[in-house]
Every structure is written in structure tokens, then in C-alpha cells.
Amino acid sequence: MEIIRIPRIMREITKNLKNRAKSIGFVPTMGALHDGHLSLIKRAKEENDITVVSIFVNPTQFAEGEDFEKYPRDLETDSEKLKKIGIEYLFYPEAKILYPNGYSTFVNVENISNKLCGKFRPGHFRGVATIVCKLFNIINPNRAYFGQKDYQQTLIIRKMVEDLNFDIEIIVCPTIRESNGLAMSSRNSYLEENEKKAATVIYKALLEGEKLLKSKIKPSEVTLKIQEILRKEPMIKEIQYAGVYDPLTLDELDEKTNKYLIAIAVKIGDTRLIDNMLVELN
Amino acid sequence: MEIIRIPRIMREITKNLKNRAKSIGFVPTMGALHDGHLSLIKRAKEENDITVVSIFVNPTQFAEGEDFEKYPRDLETDSEKLKKIGIEYLFYPEAKILYPNGYSTFVNVENISNKLCGKFRPGHFRGVATIVCKLFNIINPNRAYFGQKDYQQTLIIRKMVEDLNFDIEIIVCPTIRESNGLAMSSRNSYLEENEKKAATVIYKALLEGEKLLKSKIKPSEVTLKIQEILRKEPMIKEIQYAGVYDPLTLDELDEKTNKYLIAIAVKIGDTRLIDNMLVELN
């Protein structure tokens, strides 16, 4: 596996590959790779001639006071995992190369960036859209892979790709969970054992919400029930949002329909956790 | 010459050309082609295997109350001019294809977009950056050509290309002028004969400014002199800005240096005219 640190060199490599009619799968990550990431990477490897993984803890998607500094970084362990899967290229740029002094261009997907997580993380999705746009322009992949755990992010990336006419297929892969249901996340490493156990209530609330929606309970009532379940867990310090939403607009849903997003963001201790489930009725 | 109206088809054409190692030159325009445009197009033709010209009056770069509706449109005359030069492809999309219902992604180059013209045309450069980003993603050219008459636009496009890591060379071509010095512009068609004559004062002011800067007069004094020259022309209804600026930051320059931008925006009747000159001292 080659580790590439310079955008210009990364670009030349993928450009040459594409000139030789090789397809390129791309998995952007912030590192601290877990089985969720690895499932995306394996899928990319299956569907493309060459796979590029990027590891970049993107400063512009962290709001003031968030965990940019303490976000887990471990290149060695990550590299080992990627080598084991047989990945060809790891793109590992420095922040000052991607955001040099005087950097000033930002991509913003309006409306959906301000809902759900966007309300609690000002500028977060602008940072996400901007770095993904930059990485797409550097790597120019045929396909890019994202996890459904970050549902709102996948919606925003899809919208950006459509609106800005990128020639890239976006593939969203299922959330990977611990055996107790907790969605895998690099931020789970912040949790103490008792916090991890408490965090399983999130998945339980999603499952209960799914069951209720499938038995035709009104979404607004399902939202109340989900919030009630979460409130019963004393280790949850804050419920940022929790309920049933329109999967396209991310607005709260009051009335019955046939496609729902159940989405939850809570704080356990200082750790912010999100999870979601799409529910489709026939 | 083929006229292509569908982004997907345009993309397939240039993609196939690039796969066959053809270089692509791209000239984005809003039509009403004059000798300024034609000079860019000829240059693109000289430097590339294939030239694509786009004609699209981009709604997102017109502010409220501006001339979007009355902006000159004449596909037939434009097509004739392009055929005569021997251009291979004219991209001529409809607004509702590039900005369908629910469109919501915008590219913004901060800071320099708010100076000079940006102060008087809110949202203008956000619209410019967004449409150029979209066209770049559809056409994926090797080189793109812009006129120096829109100096601030060229600065913003260059910054966007650098910041968002586009793999496109931006080429800025000299302003083309009428024999009386008036910079060519599609908006000159709005001017009555006496207004056209009055408008020549803009170039005279630029030339006087250049002369004064070259004789080491302080930029702030040159600014005053330029404004004085413009104020003497009674047909100038409004001076939006006029003076000596830093060519990179677009801030007003008070102190002597070795590279200046003289830039002017005025209204003659209802017609807004801009012009500029770069002055480099040895």
C-alpha cells in the first residue's frame, strides 16, 4: 500500500489509472477505522479495480468547542488494517496542504444542512461538503462510499453531487453495529464501559420506533415514545433530537406516509452519539 | 458544430474525447458574443484539440432588480459566429436543467467576493462560482478561458480552482476594446450613441491613472484624480467604485507598491459598466 501525502501526486496516480481504464473506488474517512469503515472499504474493493482510502481529520467540519483536538488518530493501526484488506492507496494529506493560509472557498448545501445535526453543529455540513468536493476533485473516483450511520451526511453529499454535476456514483452502505446494537463509531472510544452499556438504549429506541411505525402508529406519537425510552436512561445527559422525520427533507413527520427516517442524537457524558433507521412500509 | 442541450450528453462527449487523449478548451459565456468573447474562443481553439463554448444566461448571478430578463439573447447570430470560427461544440442548456426545483448547493469564495462589484451585486459572485463549478464538472476541460475585463471574476475563479483542487488551467485573456477605447461588453448594446461616447471617459480615466502610477504618484492621490475625471462626465449617473486597488485582495491601496489594479464601475443611464487595468512597475 502506498501512502500519498501530496494532492498533486494523488491526482496524477488516479488520473493515470483512469487513463488506463481502471475504475476507482474511494472511501473518505477521518481514520480510527472500525468495522463500519472496513465494510465500506471492502465493498469499494469488490466493485472497483483500485481502491483509495483517505484519512483526514477535517478541521472545517468541527464546530467551535468540539472534539477536533482529541479526535482519535492512529495512522499505524489504521495502515495495518488497510494493508490487510489489500488497499492500493492511502491518501493522508496534512491540513495545511488542503487548507493553506488564505483558504476561502466553501461549498454549502442549503436547507438540509441546517436540520437535525446541523442545528447543533454550526458549519459542520458546510465543512463536510467542502472537503468531499476537494477530495472528489483530487481523486476523481468512479464511486464513493459512505456509511448510513451518517444519514444526513449521505443526503447532503448526494445532493451536492447532483446539484454540482459531479460524475461520481454515491454508494451508501448499511450501519455496522456491535453485538449489543450500538452503532460503530470512532467516537465510541470516548465511552466508559457503563456509558457503552447505557448507549445501547439508542438502538433499542430505534427498534421500538420501527415496530410502532410498522403497526401504523402516527409518527408524532412514535416520536413521543422514542423520547420517552431515551429519557428513562439516566446516563443520557441531553437529547439533541429524537423522532420520526421525512427521509428527504429531514422535517419532523406528523402524518402517516410510507417512508420514514427515525433519527437520534444524544449526549452520554461528553460524548455525542447519533444513529438512525430508515423504515419503509409496503 | 453540434449544439448540446443536455448536461449528461455534453459530459459523455467530452469524457469520450478525453479518453482518446484529446485536450479540451472551454469558454463559458452568457452569449451576445462580441469580439472579446471571440478572442477567448480563438485562443482556446489554438491551444486545444477541441473547443467547447457554453452559452447560458445564469440566473443565480443576477441580483434582484438587475437585467436578467432583458439581457441580450440571440442564439442564431451567436451560432453563426461560432460556426465561422470552426467550434466543435456549443453547450446551450436550459435553466431548469441546471437549476431544477429544489436546487440548493452553492459555492462561495469568501472575502474577495464581497469587494468591488460584490458590494453592489449581492450574491453575484456566489452565482458565478456555482455555475462555473457546475460547468467545469460537466465539461471537465483541460483549460478554461476568461476575459480580463471581468478581473474580479477571474480572481474568484482562480481562487475557487485552487481551493477546491480543480485540475483545470485558467487562462485570462486581454480586454478587447472598441477603437475609441470602450471595453467590449454585451451590455454595451444597452447604450445610446451619446452614452457610448460618454462611456469612453472610463478608459481615459484608466489611462490617466496608469500614467500617474508610473510617474510614482501615491495611489490614494491617483484614486482622487480618476474620480475627478469621471465626475466631469455629466452622463455618468453614479460612480460605484473607482480607484487603485491591491490586485490580490482588492482592498484600496494607499501606499506605493509595484503592482496595482485600477478598477472602475459606473452607471451611464441604467447601464452598469466596468473596466480595469493592471499596472506593473519595474
Side-chain angles (χ1 to χ4, degrees):
Chain A
M1 183 180 73
E2 259 188 84
I3 300 181
I4 314 291
R5 291 164 191 266
I6 311 294
R8 186 179 37 78
I9 294 175
M10 187 71 249
R11 187 209 301 293
E12 284 310 310
I13 289 172
T14 51
K15 208 171 171 178
N16 286 336
L17 288 165
K18 288 192 97 175
N19 283 344
R20 294 192 282 130
K22 301 285 184 197
S23 65
I24 291 164
F26 173 48
V27 187
T29 82
M30 300 210 300
L33 302 177
H34 52 66
D35 286 352
H37 297 112
L38 300 186
S39 76
L40 304 178
I41 293 166
K42 285 173 189 160
R43 171 99 182 257
K45 198 172 146 64
E46 275 165 32
E47 296 181 347
N48 301 276
D49 297 322
I50 301 286
T51 302
V52 179
V53 174
S54 68
I55 294 181
F56 180 64
V57 184
N58 174 36
T60 64
Q61 74 188 66
F62 287 80
E64 196 73 38
E66 288 189 350
D67 57 345
F68 175 66
E69 293 301 335
K70 80 162 186 178
Y71 196 87
R73 290 161 171 91
D74 186 351
L75 179 61
E76 209 172 318
T77 309
D78 287 345
S79 296
E80 282 313 313
K81 291 180 181 173
L82 295 174
K83 276 182 208 160
K84 217 167 143 187
I85 301 180
I87 291 310
E88 287 84 359
Y89 297 102
L90 168 59
F91 183 47
Y92 185 70
E94 278 183 84
K96 68 180 180 199
I97 290 193
L98 287 188
Y99 298 111
N101 274 342
Y103 185 93
S104 56
T105 306
F106 293 92
V107 179
N108 193 36
V109 180
E110 297 182 350
N111 303 323
I112 50 174
S113 288
N114 302 325
K115 312 277 175 74
L116 300 181
C117 289
K119 278 188 196 161
F120 299 90
R121 308 189 67 187
H124 170 64
F125 289 114
R126 189 185 78 143
V128 168
T130 300
I131 190 63
V132 171
C133 178
K134 284 169 66 66
L135 292 169
F136 282 1
N137 279 344
I138 292 167
I139 291 161
N140 193 17
N142 299 78
R143 296 175 195 86
Y145 297 79
F146 296 86
Q148 200 206 299
K149 205 213 92 193
D150 301 308
Y151 177 82
Q152 187 173 8
Q153 170 174 284
T154 66
L155 204 65
I156 286 163
I157 302 291
R158 277 192 198 282
K159 183 70 176 147
M160 178 187 81
V161 163
E162 184 188 323
D163 279 355
L164 295 185
N165 305 89
F166 276 99
D167 186 21
I168 297 171
E169 190 184 349
I170 301 301
I171 291 158
V172 176
C173 303
T175 303
I176 304 295
R177 301 178 180 283
E178 307 279 359
S179 55
N180 63 12
L182 179 62
M184 296 224 178
S185 163
S186 304
R187 288 190 171 96
N188 291 352
S189 67
Y190 300 153
L191 298 172
E192 307 288 343
E193 270 316 305
N194 58 341
E195 291 177 323
K196 253 186 201 160
K197 207 177 148 197
T200 59
V201 71
I202 301 168
Y203 188 54
K204 284 176 202 137
L206 291 177
L207 286 176
E208 180 66 15
E210 181 188 36
K211 200 182 82 185
L212 295 173
L213 287 170
K214 285 190 169 168
S215 56
K216 307 289 165 87
I217 308 291
K218 240 182 110 177
S220 52
E221 286 173 35
V222 177
T223 292
L224 291 175
K225 182 67 189 165
I226 288 168
Q227 297 188 350
E228 191 193 312
I229 293 170
L230 295 170
R231 268 198 309 271
K232 277 189 190 149
E233 171 50 60
M235 299 205 70
I236 289 185
K237 222 175 63 179
E238 181 192 355
I239 300 175
Q240 292 196 337
Y241 60 81
V244 182
Y245 304 90
D246 181 306
L248 290 178
T249 65
L250 305 181
D251 288 327
E252 259 179 73
L253 268 179
D254 293 328
E255 296 304 323
K256 288 183 203 169
T257 172
N258 54 1
K259 227 178 160 179
Y260 303 100
L261 169 72
I262 316 176
I264 293 173
V266 298
K267 274 191 148 181
I268 294 190
D270 285 337
T271 305
R272 189 176 180 276
L273 298 173
I274 61 171
D275 202 347
N276 69 82
M277 192 179 281
L278 283 168
V279 179
E280 209 157 342
L281 303 187
N282 302 318
Chain B
M1 184 180 73
E2 260 188 84
I3 301 182
I4 314 290
R5 291 165 192 265
I6 311 293
R8 185 178 39 79
I9 295 176
M10 188 70 248
R11 186 210 300 294
E12 284 310 311
I13 290 172
T14 51
K15 208 172 170 177
N16 286 335
L17 288 165
K18 289 191 97 176
N19 283 343
R20 294 193 280 126
K22 301 286 185 195
S23 65
I24 292 165
F26 173 48
V27 186
T29 81
M30 301 211 300
L33 302 177
H34 52 66
D35 286 352
H37 297 111
L38 300 186
S39 75
L40 304 178
I41 294 165
K42 285 173 189 161
R43 171 98 181 258
K45 199 173 145 63
E46 276 165 30
E47 296 181 348
N48 300 276
D49 297 321
I50 301 287
T51 301
V52 179
V53 174
S54 68
I55 295 181
F56 181 63
V57 184
N58 174 35
T60 64
Q61 73 188 67
F62 287 80
E64 197 71 38
E66 288 189 350
D67 57 345
F68 175 66
E69 292 301 335
K70 80 163 187 178
Y71 195 87
R73 289 161 172 92
D74 185 352
L75 179 61
E76 209 172 318
T77 309
D78 287 345
S79 295
E80 282 312 313
K81 289 178 182 172
L82 295 174
K83 276 182 209 162
K84 217 168 142 186
I85 300 179
I87 291 309
E88 287 86 358
Y89 297 102
L90 168 59
F91 183 47
Y92 185 70
E94 279 182 83
K96 68 178 178 197
I97 291 194
L98 287 188
Y99 297 111
N101 275 341
Y103 184 93
S104 56
T105 306
F106 293 93
V107 179
N108 193 34
V109 180
E110 297 181 350
N111 302 323
I112 50 174
S113 288
N114 302 324
K115 312 278 175 76
L116 301 181
C117 288
K119 278 189 197 161
F120 299 91
R121 307 190 68 187
H124 170 64
F125 288 115
R126 189 184 77 142
V128 168
T130 300
I131 190 64
V132 171
C133 178
K134 284 169 67 67
L135 292 169
F136 281 1
N137 278 344
I138 293 167
I139 290 161
N140 192 17
N142 300 78
R143 296 175 195 87
Y145 297 79
F146 296 86
Q148 200 207 299
K149 205 212 94 193
D150 302 309
Y151 176 82
Q152 187 173 7
Q153 170 174 283
T154 66
L155 203 64
I156 286 163
I157 302 291
R158 277 191 199 281
K159 184 70 177 146
M160 177 186 80
V161 163
E162 185 188 322
D163 280 355
L164 294 185
N165 305 88
F166 276 99
D167 186 21
I168 297 171
E169 188 183 350
I170 301 302
I171 291 158
V172 176
C173 303
T175 303
I176 305 295
R177 301 177 180 284
E178 309 278 356
S179 55
N180 63 13
L182 179 62
M184 297 227 177
S185 163
S186 303
R187 288 189 171 95
N188 290 352
S189 68
Y190 300 152
L191 298 171
E192 308 287 340
E193 269 318 304
N194 57 344
E195 292 176 325
K196 252 184 202 161
K197 206 175 149 199
T200 60
V201 71
I202 300 168
Y203 187 54
K204 282 176 203 140
L206 291 176
L207 288 175
E208 180 66 17
E210 181 188 34
K211 200 181 81 184
L212 294 173
L213 287 170
K214 285 189 169 168
S215 55
K216 308 289 164 86
I217 307 290
K218 238 182 112 178
S220 51
E221 284 172 38
V222 177
T223 291
L224 291 175
K225 182 66 191 168
I226 288 168
Q227 297 189 351
E228 189 192 314
I229 293 170
L230 294 171
R231 268 198 309 272
K232 276 189 190 149
E233 170 50 60
M235 298 206 71
I236 289 185
K237 223 174 61 178
E238 180 192 354
I239 300 175
Q240 292 195 336
Y241 60 81
V244 182
Y245 304 91
D246 181 305
L248 290 179
T249 66
L250 305 181
D251 289 327
E252 259 179 73
L253 268 180
D254 292 330
E255 296 305 323
K256 288 181 203 171
T257 173
N258 54 3
K259 224 175 163 183
Y260 303 100
L261 169 72
I262 316 176
I264 293 173
V266 297
K267 274 190 148 183
I268 294 189
D270 286 336
T271 304
R272 189 174 180 279
L273 297 172
I274 62 172
D275 203 347
N276 69 81
M277 191 178 279
L278 283 168
V279 180
E280 208 158 342
L281 303 187
N282 303 319

